[in-house]
Amino acid sequence: MINTQRLARQADAAGFDAQWSYEILRNPLMVAAAAAAVTNQSRLGTGIVGAFFRTPFDLANTAADVDDLSQGPDDARHRYRCAGSAAGLLRRRDSQIS
């Protein structure tokens, strides 16, 4: 995850609006969590999450944890977004996600 965090930090510093991960070799929710730990501005998201590899509770709980981690110190909005079928499992706590 060190390379993931280094790349996320560089993309954030370069002004990228968003950083998205998908499931291929790593858990995209853990990639988003690692990026959330070292970035402040970029929005974070997962495009493909293998819902059949996890229980609905684990998927929703992990997505909510990443959502909590992704609150930047200068940004009251949540920076994490989950796309696809898992989006219905993510508890929406505010209406500021655009």
Side-chain angles (χ1 to χ4, degrees):
M1 286 292 171
I2 292 172
N3 285 335
T4 299
Q5 288 183 318
R6 180 179 52 80
L7 291 172
R9 193 178 306 115
Q10 289 174 347
D12 195 50
F16 279 76
D17 291 333
Q19 299 180 42
W20 287 78
S21 61
Y22 56 92
E23 187 137 24
I24 188 166
L25 297 175
R26 293 185 180 250
N27 181 338
L29 297 169
M30 294 300 103
V31 172
V38 297
T39 62
N40 290 316
Q41 303 300 317
S42 299
R43 288 188 174 245
L44 307 170
T46 52
I48 299 172
V49 177
F52 300 107
F53 306 127
R54 298 166 188 86
T55 66
F57 174 80
D58 287 337
L59 183 59
N61 193 40
T62 305
D65 288 344
V66 174
D67 185 47
D68 287 341
L69 283 170
S70 68
Q71 293 181 23
D74 300 330
D75 189 358
R77 297 177 302 179
H78 298 273
R79 293 185 298 125
Y80 173 70
R81 167 172 263 172
C82 189
S85 62
L89 298 174
L90 181 61
R91 187 181 69 202
R92 303 283 177 153
R93 286 177 291 210
D94 62 16
S95 60
Q96 295 180 342
I97 296 176
S98 58

